[in-house]
Amino acid sequence: MDEIGLNEFLQLIIRDKGGTPQQYNQLMDYIAFHETGPVDASLPDQRMKTDAVQYKWDSKKKKWVKGTGRGLFMFESHEDAGGNTAVNRTVNYLKKSVPGPISVIPEWLNDLYKNKKSVDVSSLTADQQKILFLGYHKEHPTSDFSNVWSGEQSIQDFWLSNHWAGSSSSTPEKIASKLDLFNKSMVAKDSVDVLKAKEEE
């Protein structure tokens, strides 16, 4: 049996949560575009790069330092963090969604699962990172793709509530600021897409 790829994985998710491949890809592209976007002009351009690295401002050192977020969706790579959770949830979803032998789990995913204390996704392909994103949110306690496709939840709120998720100490001002930045990213991505389409004509 061939290893399951992004298209096959998407079909499993669609079976459970509705939507179309185009809708899922648009959702993932908006989030990846934002997550890999520049945080400061002095830092490297990582937009839509699979090996993107998170940068955080260190107020004590007065400079940008690397955080633990990695890849298109900035899954954190330290022990028991987002990368690890994404691997666990994706494997769990596959185990219960596909009847038959455990060989349905792709080799790359199985390797991560076996050595899973800390997971750095930046060496994975875009499709592999998207599989982890889908698995992470399919098994997330509050994420529900069907709410986005039905119009109950916006893409912006899906990102804010389920992917960024903030922290319990996030102020209303910080949340509003994060949402504003995400909205700007969506507008910027739409503009880039329009320009690309014109260039291709």
Side-chain angles (χ1 to χ4, degrees):
M1 179 180 177
D2 291 335
E3 281 197 345
I4 191 167
L6 178 59
N7 290 335
E8 294 84 4
F9 196 85
L10 264 174
Q11 290 309 314
L12 291 174
I13 300 278
I14 289 166
R15 178 193 73 188
D16 294 339
K17 288 291 165 185
T20 65
Q22 291 78 12
Q23 287 175 312
Y24 284 95
N25 280 306
Q26 183 185 52
L27 171 72
M28 290 189 284
D29 286 349
Y30 275 132
I31 291 175
F33 187 90
H34 176 73
E35 292 289 346
T36 57
V39 288
D40 189 77
S42 67
L43 296 172
D45 178 15
Q46 306 186 101
R47 184 79 84 182
M48 298 303 279
K49 292 189 177 168
T50 54
D51 60 352
V53 173
Q54 177 189 35
Y55 283 93
K56 292 181 172 183
W57 180 253
D58 187 318
S59 52
K60 287 182 183 170
K61 294 179 181 174
K62 299 278 190 267
K63 66 175 186 177
W64 292 99
V65 296
K66 287 182 180 179
T68 64
R70 295 288 184 274
L72 292 171
F73 304 104
M74 287 296 153
F75 282 125
E76 295 196 331
S77 57
H78 58 276
E79 195 164 324
D80 294 329
N84 183 33
T85 304
V87 167
N88 290 342
R89 288 179 180 170
T90 305
V91 169
N92 291 341
Y93 177 63
L94 279 171
K95 282 180 178 176
K96 69 184 185 186
S97 298
V98 184
I102 215 65
S103 62
V104 73
I105 296 169
E107 193 175 337
W108 64 268
L109 182 57
N110 209 30
D111 288 345
L112 289 174
Y113 187 66
K114 285 190 284 193
N115 308 299
K116 64 182 176 180
K117 285 203 169 179
S118 56
V119 175
D120 181 342
V121 302
S122 61
S123 63
L124 301 177
T125 67
D127 279 6
Q128 288 168 346
Q129 291 186 35
K130 286 177 177 182
I131 286 172
L132 288 179
F133 173 89
L134 293 166
Y136 176 87
H137 284 292
K138 172 59 188 68
E139 298 295 286
H140 190 292
T142 62
S143 295
D144 191 340
F145 293 122
S146 58
N147 286 342
V148 181
W149 316 142
S150 70
E152 284 178 54
Q153 186 179 35
S154 65
I155 288 174
Q156 296 95 314
D157 188 58
F158 181 90
W159 170 80
L160 184 76
S161 302
N162 304 315
H163 196 75
W164 175 64
S167 69
S168 54
S169 61
S170 295
T171 62
E173 291 78 18
K174 183 176 182 182
I175 292 167
S177 166
K178 290 284 182 183
L179 193 56
D180 182 54
L181 286 173
F182 188 81
N183 279 317
K184 285 175 178 168
S185 290
M186 287 184 73
V187 170
K189 184 184 180 304
D190 288 343
S191 300
V192 167
D193 290 347
V194 168
L195 285 173
K196 273 186 190 168
K198 282 183 179 173
E199 284 170 10
E200 287 168 8
E201 278 175 8

